[in-house]
Amino acid sequence: MTTDQRARSISVHLILIAYSLLAVGPILLVVMNSFKVRSAIFGSPLAPPDASTFSLVGYEKVFRSSHILLYYSNSLVVTLVSMALVLLFGAMAAWALSEYRFRGSTALALFLSIGIMVPIRLGSVEILNMMRSAGLNDTLTALVLVYVAQGLPMSIFILSEFIQQIPKDLRDAARCDGVPETRIFFEVVAPLLRPAIATVAVFTIVPIWNDLWFPLILTSSDSTHTVTLGVQQFLGQYITDWNSVLAALSMAILPVVMIYVILSRQLIAGLTSGAVK
Amino acid sequence: MPRAKLAGLLLFFLGPAVTIYVLFSIYPLVATMALSTYTSDPSGARSFVGLANFETLLGDALWSKPFWNAFGNNLIFFAVHMCVQNPIGIALAGLLSLPGVRLKGFYRTVMFLPTMLSVVIVGFSWNLILSPLWGVAAGALKAVGLGSLFAPWLGLESSALVTLSLISVWQFVGIPMMLIYAALLNIPEELIDAARVDGLGQFRIFFHIKLPLVLPTISLVSVLTFVANFNAFDLIYSVKGALAGPNFATDILGTFFYRTFFGNQLQLGNPTMGAAVATVMFFIILLGLCLYLFLVQRRIRRYAF
């Protein structure tokens, strides 16, 4: 490597490191200070907690004055059930659209893909009316139904691409043996979709877990709040209590970061393999 | 395959997805648009008024002033994303795709992290960092000798909107970065090698060869940014509340829609006017998508090969 090349390589790394710091700095700052006593949060915000400044008082307050664990379990239930349904119904629809020839299949595929671009949020007025008249408002079921409708278009789109790549011989061989179509799908095709399913799962989970809009309009009682809504309301209420605000923020950040670290390889593979175009 | 059997299979495989999608996505959209042509009196009875709600929204000063204010703010919000988020995304993707850069995976993971977080969390975290109370931002500026530049940016009418836009840029820069990075990786190796043999440096290879080839991805990123921006709500709501202060300086269509629909301290909720606002937002997004499909997408196909 010539000195010129080395100088360039160093400057590239300097820029990348600087931007990385800008990206995680604010998050680290919040999490770090959530473990400190109030005087240290204000006195030396950039210092990590040490023996004299470490404190969990913020977390104690969050646990005492909000139903944070309940919010977590609500978010978990809504996200997991929605994701499972998006994957199951999405894969089934993608299979039918790419495998069977029927009149209107292209039109149906186009109709289903409208939802990729047009935000379902714009139908909120009528969604709320429907949920009210069905007696579903203020239930987790209402959230699941909306999120499944929201996630299906993208999931059908990505899964169709993958199904088309599965060799034809496989299903034709099964058909010759007289295996019924439903078994071909569930026992031959579905297991082959595993890598695609991981990609769809990541794309489905993140917007659902992070959504504020639908919990805000569809759930009114404390017992149906999700983490995002619960923390939002908690933060609004305790805005001057910095220990609790920082603790509540950290509690909302940490699980997402953990999921991200576990799934990041899958997510990046999905993004860079051209699954989303 | 016999017709009856095919029909049965289609019903089984497509039925659940199509039913849920139509019931909770398409039908509410269409019904909301239909509702925008009605008005309701205090007893809740509805009567058809045609396009009167839209006349009120665009003509009555009480409605049109906040509407155009929100629309203009939304344009600024979008412009900041286009001018800051996308160039930074392109630059980061360009640096990451240079040959022989180590730790690519690490940088990518770290830089994409903010995108995974809830906008609510991001908004509040920056609210604390920029607050004059805590002094982290003021202290950091002082440390590099720019202390006099600090101002409570989020609280000032003149700078609140741009500050919020930049916070959103900070969060979502990972998306253009990833998509453009993927497109850069898909450029055939021979093309780059040929340019290198011809004596072009990395800089010129990037601007003259790589960048033109990833233009389709850049325009896709732009339309994704457009849809997301004109549908944005969470960040403004969580940092500034439904009133999008100071003095509506950060009001965008999403918060305007929420206030109209649900009401707030200043006004009662109005579902039919809310439906009208949602319908206008729908047509704005549709217009953007059509412009993209007819102007950009078509031209790209023609020049692609």
Side-chain angles (χ1 to χ4, degrees):
Chain A
M1 210 187 255
T2 64
T3 35
D4 196 34
Q5 275 172 319
R6 180 156 304 157
R8 194 161 52 207
S9 158
I10 289 173
S11 54
V12 166
H13 277 283
L14 279 182
I15 299 174
L16 291 173
I17 289 170
Y19 197 86
S20 301
L21 277 178
L22 181 64
V24 288
I27 302 166
L28 284 179
L29 197 66
V30 165
V31 175
M32 197 172 77
N33 279 287
S34 72
F35 293 106
K36 294 183 356 190
V37 293
R38 192 181 156 84
S39 62
I41 295 175
F42 281 97
S44 48
L46 297 174
D50 59 31
S52 64
T53 56
F54 180 83
S55 158
L56 291 173
V57 62
Y59 290 89
E60 279 166 28
K61 261 187 221 161
V62 176
F63 273 107
R64 239 184 306 119
S65 47
S66 78
H67 300 107
I68 190 96
L69 291 178
L70 178 68
Y71 303 153
Y72 267 118
S73 83
N74 285 341
S75 274
L76 211 61
V77 168
V78 167
T79 310
L80 290 181
V81 175
S82 309
M83 184 195 74
L85 294 178
V86 164
L87 284 172
L88 175 67
F89 296 158
M92 285 162 64
W95 161 257
L97 284 173
S98 40
E99 185 65 13
Y100 305 126
R101 296 284 132 245
F102 58 97
R103 226 173 348 139
S105 65
T106 321
L108 186 60
L110 264 178
F111 175 69
L112 285 167
S113 64
I114 295 173
I116 296 178
M117 276 296 179
V118 178
I120 179 174
R121 185 181 283 183
L122 296 177
S124 299
V125 179
E126 210 47 55
I127 290 178
L128 184 62
N129 281 346
M130 283 170 68
M131 294 300 178
R132 273 192 188 136
S133 49
L136 285 174
N137 62 321
D138 205 17
T139 63
L140 299 181
T141 314
L143 289 178
V144 168
L145 289 170
V146 173
Y147 291 143
V148 174
Q150 173 186 282
L152 276 172
M154 180 64 100
S155 127
I156 294 175
F157 182 74
I158 298 178
L159 291 169
S160 297
E161 304 250 305
F162 271 81
I163 287 176
Q164 275 154 21
Q165 288 167 18
I166 297 175
K168 285 254 180 235
D169 313 355
L170 222 56
R171 30 201 152 154
D172 290 341
R175 270 191 201 120
C176 285
D177 292 346
V179 180
E181 291 290 321
T182 44
R183 276 190 58 198
I184 293 180
F185 173 75
F186 285 107
E187 287 168 29
V188 179
V189 177
L192 293 172
L193 291 177
R194 208 174 295 154
I197 280 176
T199 304
V200 178
V202 177
F203 282 105
T204 316
I205 291 175
V206 175
I208 297 177
W209 183 275
N210 286 339
D211 188 40
L212 174 66
W213 178 268
F214 285 112
L216 193 61
I217 70 163
L218 291 176
T219 66
S220 48
S221 60
D222 219 31
S223 60
T224 48
H225 284 354
T226 58
V227 174
T228 308
L229 180 61
V231 166
Q232 205 274 331
Q233 300 200 334
F234 181 84
L235 291 175
Q237 228 167 334
Y238 292 82
I239 188 75
T240 49
D241 183 349
W242 284 57
N243 284 104
S244 339
V245 168
L246 290 169
L249 280 172
S250 305
M251 291 195 60
I253 291 172
L254 284 177
V256 188
V257 173
M258 271 153 60
I259 295 171
Y260 175 57
V261 169
I262 296 168
L263 295 177
S264 67
R265 188 172 297 170
Q266 194 54 52
L267 175 81
I268 286 163
L271 278 167
T272 48
S273 73
V276 191
K277 272 194 179 152
Chain B
M1 198 182 292
R3 201 164 251 235
K5 193 184 161 202
L6 179 66
L9 283 174
L10 291 182
L11 199 67
F12 173 76
F13 281 115
L14 282 166
V18 173
T19 310
I20 294 184
Y21 176 69
V22 169
L23 268 181
F24 298 102
S25 189
I26 298 297
Y27 170 76
L29 262 177
V30 176
T32 297
M33 280 186 233
L35 185 66
S36 69
T37 59
Y38 284 81
T39 187
S40 55
D41 60 20
S43 72
R46 285 192 180 141
S47 50
F48 182 76
V49 290
L51 297 177
N53 286 337
F54 296 96
E55 270 169 45
T56 311
L57 183 62
L58 302 175
D60 181 346
L62 212 62
W63 285 95
S64 69
K65 236 183 89 193
F67 171 77
W68 289 114
N69 172 50
F71 181 73
N73 286 342
N74 225 150
L75 282 179
I76 296 173
F77 193 69
F78 176 56
V80 172
H81 280 82
M82 287 300 284
C83 300
V84 183
Q85 172 184 284
N86 294 350
I88 293 181
I90 294 169
L92 291 174
L95 289 177
L96 282 176
S97 69
L98 285 176
V101 175
R102 288 193 192 174
L103 295 171
K104 273 178 203 177
F106 171 76
Y107 290 129
R108 261 182 349 211
T109 308
V110 167
M111 289 172 183
F112 198 75
L113 181 66
T115 309
M116 303 290 290
L117 299 176
S118 158
V119 183
V120 173
I121 296 165
V122 167
F124 261 105
S125 304
W126 276 101
N127 203 357
L128 298 184
I129 289 165
L130 294 176
S131 112
L133 263 181
W134 199 9
V136 175
L141 278 176
K142 211 178 275 169
V144 291
L146 296 169
S148 58
L149 281 183
F150 181 79
W153 291 298
L154 274 172
L156 295 175
E157 239 180 274
S158 56
S159 59
L161 179 64
V162 172
T163 309
L164 280 167
S165 314
L166 290 175
I167 293 173
S168 171
V169 164
W170 172 84
Q171 174 169 26
F172 291 116
V173 81
I175 293 173
M177 180 191 82
M178 282 295 191
L179 292 176
I180 293 164
Y181 175 71
L184 286 171
L185 287 189
N186 282 333
I187 296 176
E189 208 52 52
E190 305 91 74
L191 224 58
I192 312 294
D193 285 342
R196 203 171 295 136
V197 171
D198 283 346
L200 259 64
Q202 288 295 349
F203 221 70
R204 293 182 61 193
I205 291 182
F206 182 75
F207 279 102
H208 294 286
I209 297 177
K210 290 182 175 175
L211 205 56
L213 284 171
V214 298
L215 273 184
T217 310
I218 294 175
S219 67
L220 173 78
V221 165
S222 308
V223 77
L224 289 177
T225 311
F226 175 79
V227 174
N229 283 176
F230 275 83
N231 185 39
F233 163 79
D234 308 35
L235 179 67
I236 313 272
Y237 179 81
S238 55
V239 176
K240 290 291 170 192
L243 287 176
N247 191 23
F248 299 109
T250 57
D251 198 22
I252 58 173
L253 290 173
T255 40
F256 179 61
F257 170 42
Y258 179 84
R259 273 204 318 279
T260 310
F261 178 23
F262 273 101
N264 57 72
Q265 296 96 309
L266 303 181
Q267 70 199 67
L268 284 171
N270 187 337
T272 50
M273 279 309 279
V277 175
T279 306
V280 172
M281 285 171 74
F282 174 80
F283 281 111
I284 292 172
I285 289 174
L286 198 67
L287 185 74
L289 285 175
C290 289
L291 283 177
Y292 167 74
L293 286 175
F294 289 114
L295 295 176
V296 185
Q297 186 84 322
R298 254 173 67 191
R299 195 163 304 168
I300 282 166
R301 285 239 176 90
R302 209 175 303 151
Y303 293 127
F305 290 102

